[in-house]
Amino acid sequence: MTTRRNILNFIGGAAALAMTASTGMAQEVTLRLHQFLPPQANVPKHILDPWANNVEEASEGRIKIERFGAMSLGGAPPGLMDQAKDGVVDLVWTVVGYTPGRFPSTEVFELPFMVEDASAGSYAYWKMFESHMQDSEFKDMKIFGAWVHGPGMFHTNKPVAKPSDLEGMKIRGGSRLVNELLKATGASPVGMPVPAVPEALSKGVIDGTTIPWEVTAALKVPELVENHTEFEGTALYTLTFVLAMNKAKYDSLPADLQAVMDSQSGLEFSVFAGKTMQDYDAPARKAAADRGNNIFTVSEADAAEWAAVVDPIYATWIADMKKRGIDGQAMIDEAKMLMEEYKKNNM
């Protein structure tokens, strides 16, 4: 069972792992971690750096993780997964939806109005990763964490309260299913990685974007648009993330160093990461409110109109999964069951 106490133990427990190899025979390893956000953004600062620091400390200095943000090693965010797979870098953190169609099972957590809480969603995602994805869609990589962000929402240059308000607007979407959601409302989806959002907003290339609150500060979105639309209850959508490593590089490590990395990873780390992202929604929301921006909250009752508009996405997704040999409805049912399991035991 994953509890608040377990998560706190993860944050502070790196030093508790004893090393089994003698110092004289120690092999030192330097790994490069590449990701798309600036180093001061919430995910690198409060999730990736603590994880890397924990690994370094638990290895007693035998593992060194160099961190590179904002795509400083080259390429574009959609290429991060291949950078890890092909060994261009050792580790990446990325949005799974930046490579649409390659990891279809993860999309169950990107369906509209599917996930209410990032901790519960991340718990279910990791559990289903282990049982359904680890040896199939992700078999060519080593995955240390799999999680979702807090509630996704709209940030726009004009107020949005109901689906029809989006008609004709150009809205950035972060994944294939988010783009389907936008199409269902009458908006024109524009696919782009999140680092491109500020320039696209400032130049009028898009009229708004879908992102959670927590990343708005790093992207300065409240300075570029004045309207924000959030939802009570179940989130409009969430995106899925992974912290991935080149499999051959992982396999080349001594067994005790593999154990070090594994000890800082998995279910508790995934829940910690999802919870941390959602925790940083509140200060980002406050910053937008302090600027005097318009924040519209769709009530759970009014969200029914939105849910009805996007509901056909479920049937389309289930049919698409069937073509891929995946039982989409069973994936939906299992995800919901696991999220309820987490909430029952932890909330």
Side-chain angles (χ1 to χ4, degrees):
M1 183 191 308
T2 301
T3 65
R4 177 178 174 81
R5 184 174 181 180
N6 294 143
I7 293 171
L8 292 174
N9 285 342
F10 164 78
I11 300 172
L17 186 70
M19 299 299 295
T20 57
S22 67
T23 303
M25 299 178 65
Q27 174 180 331
E28 295 186 1
V29 177
T30 299
L31 305 173
R32 297 193 301 170
L33 168 58
H34 199 203
Q35 54 87 22
F36 57 86
L37 288 178
Q40 69 272 18
N42 289 322
V43 170
K45 184 176 180 179
H46 300 292
I47 298 174
L48 301 180
D49 280 348
W51 178 83
N53 292 341
N54 284 354
V55 169
E56 290 179 345
E57 184 177 354
S59 74
E60 295 184 349
R62 292 174 60 202
I63 296 177
K64 171 67 177 176
I65 300 179
E66 298 177 341
R67 304 97 191 258
F68 300 88
M71 301 305 301
S72 58
L73 293 180
L80 280 167
M81 202 72 85
D82 282 332
Q83 287 188 3
K85 181 176 178 293
D86 298 338
V88 176
V89 298
D90 303 303
L91 293 151
V92 299
W93 168 70
T94 191
V95 176
V96 179
Y98 285 171
T99 51
R102 283 178 59 178
F103 308 96
S105 296
T106 64
E107 290 184 339
V108 68
F109 296 101
E110 298 182 352
L111 287 163
F113 297 105
M114 181 68 181
V115 177
E116 180 177 355
D117 172 78
S119 297
S122 300
Y123 171 87
Y125 180 16
W126 180 264
K127 287 280 193 178
M128 292 177 68
F129 162 77
E130 287 189 307
S131 59
H132 298 292
M133 309 172 203
Q134 182 170 241
D135 297 324
S136 56
E137 295 164 29
F138 289 97
K139 66 181 179 357
D140 295 328
M141 285 179 285
K142 172 65 178 179
I143 304 298
F144 293 116
W147 67 91
V148 301
H149 60 51
M153 51 181 291
F154 297 110
H155 309 267
T156 52
N157 59 15
K158 71 176 186 179
V160 172
K162 54 187 185 298
S164 60
D165 292 335
L166 286 167
E167 289 181 6
M169 294 182 70
K170 295 173 292 183
I171 306 295
R172 175 263 177 187
S175 73
R176 185 178 77 90
L177 285 188
V178 175
N179 287 341
E180 291 301 313
L181 182 159
L182 293 170
K183 289 178 187 176
T185 66
S188 297
V190 180
M192 65 176 65
V194 74
V197 166
E199 183 177 4
L201 285 173
S202 65
K203 292 185 175 181
V205 175
I206 56 176
D207 301 307
T209 185
T210 55
I211 48 174
W213 273 120
E214 67 87 17
V215 76
T216 57
L219 300 178
K220 302 187 184 304
V221 169
E223 300 172 25
L224 297 167
V225 298
E226 297 181 352
N227 302 285
H228 313 271
T229 304
E230 60 187 11
F231 291 75
E232 285 185 345
T234 307
L236 174 69
Y237 77 93
T238 57
L239 293 186
T240 58
F241 304 92
V242 290
L243 176 59
M245 184 174 180
N246 175 266
K247 194 170 188 302
K249 185 68 174 181
Y250 173 82
D251 290 343
S252 73
L253 297 178
D256 62 320
L257 292 189
Q258 291 180 354
V260 165
M261 299 191 77
D262 290 345
S263 74
Q264 304 304 316
S265 309
L267 180 60
E268 289 182 15
F269 170 62
S270 297
V271 173
F272 161 78
K275 180 182 184 301
T276 299
M277 287 192 78
Q278 186 160 329
D279 284 348
Y280 280 94
D281 284 344
R285 185 186 190 280
K286 183 179 184 302
D290 289 346
R291 289 184 61 86
N293 287 12
N294 173 43
I295 300 175
F296 184 83
T297 303
V298 179
S299 68
E300 289 192 62
D302 290 341
E305 178 185 2
W306 289 83
V309 168
V310 301
D311 185 65
I313 293 172
Y314 276 73
T316 301
W317 185 77
I318 290 169
D320 182 44
M321 291 302 104
K322 185 176 181 180
K323 294 176 184 177
R324 299 169 181 266
I326 299 171
D327 188 337
Q329 186 60 59
M331 295 287 284
I332 291 169
D333 294 342
E334 183 176 355
K336 289 182 176 179
M337 181 272 292
L338 287 167
M339 287 188 285
E340 285 300 314
E341 175 181 284
Y342 179 87
K343 291 195 304 186
K344 178 181 178 182
N345 293 328
N346 297 278
M347 303 177 74

